[in-house]
Amino acid sequence: MAPAHTDAWPHSLMWHTQPAAEWKQGLPIGNGLLAGMILGLATKERTALNHERLWRGQFRSRTIEPVHERLDEIRRLFFEGKVLEASTLTNETLGGAGGMVAGSRPNRVDPYQPAGDLWVQPTHGPVGEYRRQLDLDSAVASVSYVADAVRYRREYFAHSGRPIMAIRLSAQGDKPFDGSIELSRVEDPDCEISSYAAGNALGFTGRFVEGIRFAIEARVFTDGQVSISEADKASARLAASEALILLSIAVDLDDGDPLPACRAQLDDAPANWDDLLAEHVSEHRKLYRRVRLEIGDDNRHIDTAERLERMRAGKSDDGMLALHANFGRYLLISSSRPGGLPANLQGKWNEDIAPPWDCDLHHDINLQMNYWPAEVCGMGELAEPLLDHVERSVPHGRVAAQKLYNCRGIWLPIQTDPWGRCTPESRGWDVWIGAAAWLAQHFWFRYEYSLDEAFLRTRAYPLFKEVAAFYEDYLVTDPRSGYLVPVPSQSPENPFVGGTEPVSLCVAAAMDIELIQDTLSHAIAAAEILDLDAELCEKWRNILAKLAPLQVGRHGQLQEWFEDYEEIEVGHRHLSHLYHLFPGDRFTPEDAPQLTRAARVALERRLSAGGGHSGWSRSWCVCCWARLAEGDLACEHLVRLLLDFATVSLLDLHPPKIFQIDGNFGATAGLCEMLLQSHRGAIRILPALPSSWKSGKVAGLKARGNFTVDIEWTGGKASNVRIVSHAGRPCTIACGQAPRRIVRDGLEVSFERLGDGRIRLATETGGVYELSW
Ligand code: FUC
């Protein structure tokens, strides 16, 4: 069952017979650092370019003033039941304006910026036999067509191991490629551009009003001629049957000249398409080929738009779901690499100088969802940028915790940019104390999947202590109930009747309780593994014992707030209170039957009132249904996600048709969750297999405990499972029906039958175990 390394990796090709009608229908390429969106326009081809560090940078040193004096008064008002008065005072004192420097605009999160556009303008007659495609397995995008009896082809990749992009233009026929290329940037009064062209190079440098500087250079190598027409423009005329363009971008945050760095990045690369391509493909496949999905037919012979249309007309195409899931893996590989920045709201692709939500780093679902597929898809190292981002924020988070809330530990904001600054922005949403805990969950994931104790000791546990310290100081006793409660507290970003808009503040939102339970339990578990801080653990256990419990409300639903408030928008897109269902792990029928049932009612209630109405919200529903072992419902939501919230190039959308990448990543995580789950000590095989997926295969998924799992199923049941143990730990496997036998190296091994189709297997490091039925 090891993945066969054939050329056609399944479900990995999307193609179109039309150019992109707009940027978000383009084909994305990227290597974490650089990103390009290829529109495939035959006569004036545009590749929109990005560099991950190109943010405007105007407010990158923002700080915060002390504003916590009125916290006692705020809490008293909440406890007296004066929710509106308390919330208004909270927003006034602790909200966006609280951390605002005099005279600045309320929201000082820097927008992520486009770097520029590469234009290729061939001269030819009308176009036929048009095709543009993205091969996820090689990470190469291409455009090809015939004009004037000449076959024109353009191929693009962002090199998987070098800071460059490579583009090959070719013309096969009687005439050479004849046309121009140009680099330019959208009109922007806040960015000064200075263009040049000399020898075989063209480019420009840009400088934002605040000082951040960047440079783009393209070098052209042809078998024909290149002529630079105007020295003050970044453009060139080409006449050649083949041309190679190497392009790079560099950013300097300290007002230094970025051009030498940009040029050095290009100097290092051999000007040879075949060599670069071979390197690139082999680097890319080291990540991409870790997972192989075989679900439904690989209808790669049908163009992607047509496949979507057929699905809209009611024809099932499960292979599209696999393609969409693979696309999520491809996008993570292309937008998040160790040493770089985390994937933002649009990964690394953005064409606007004023993008929606500043194309920033949102901490109340979006950034976390981006990383949901990382571990299960065996690409845990791609979450490094997220972990680095959190650690970069810690010093600023400490200052914020102290100045805003008079607490030790850290407070992280609801939204930020890559500078790691922690100030409340976007007034009305920003009094929220859950970001640090939610991000800390990803440190726990990293440990659970890798069992890397050095990581736990040096990175995860220190962070857990910071987050825990904040809660130790923040929680207060509710004089009415005697419980420890967070206050002010909110359930992102949902208002209730009697609360405030755009979000209601209260005593003890369920999500805050869940985040506190998670953080403190992970901190205790880590301390126990590392044999540290027995006294602190006792303190944390005491807090957990006194913490306000989660409640079941009058509809049988898991309450979103400690009080059973009435929601203003029952179908709200956020599912914050379902955190313990997914991405958390405490709502399982075995561990918390009553709360799990209530979580299901809460989900049904949301959906019956129109919930799931953004790409990411739909994806979250998929993950929740998978955790509730509802394969058909999970599948139905995956289909809806594709048909209602994706462009023809499968980029996910947020209303009103804004590209937001979280939905892509959430969908990948959701599909994996349907095939394999590993939370709370058991590896669950095919826990939410849709009834229509009769047979199929998946290879390379990771389970907690550092196992790699391959599954083959027929007739809706596992027929072969192969588990590789990387850490030699015992594992409990839940598979509906216990396997008939388990073989290692051709020899049968014994295992324990626990009942309910569960078994327990002792493993050794490096051991490969084949389960059959
Ligand atoms: C959260 C969501 C919005 C949007 C924004 C970027 O605030 O509530 O729907 O996705 O992030």
Side-chain angles (χ1 to χ4, degrees), residues 555-567:
H555 308 286
Q557 91 287 11
L558 178 78
Q559 277 179 217
E560 184 156 358
W561 305 277
F562 190 72
E563 299 277 331
D564 196 2
Y565 293 120
E566 197 181 320
E567 305 96 326

Side-chain angles (χ1 to χ4, degrees), residues 345 357 362 364 366 493 573-574 616 654 660:
L345 283 173
W357 291 283
H362 253 68
D364 67 339
N366 321 82
E493 304 172 8
R573 62 197 180 286
H574 283 264
W616 62 256
H654 184 290
Q660 210 169 93

Side-chain angles (χ1 to χ4, degrees), residues 473-494:
D473 291 358
Y474 190 77
L475 291 168
V476 288
T477 302
D478 186 333
R480 301 165 301 177
S481 64
Y483 289 129
L484 272 183
V485 287
V487 55
S489 174
Q490 73 148 296
S491 187
E493 304 172 8
N494 203 4

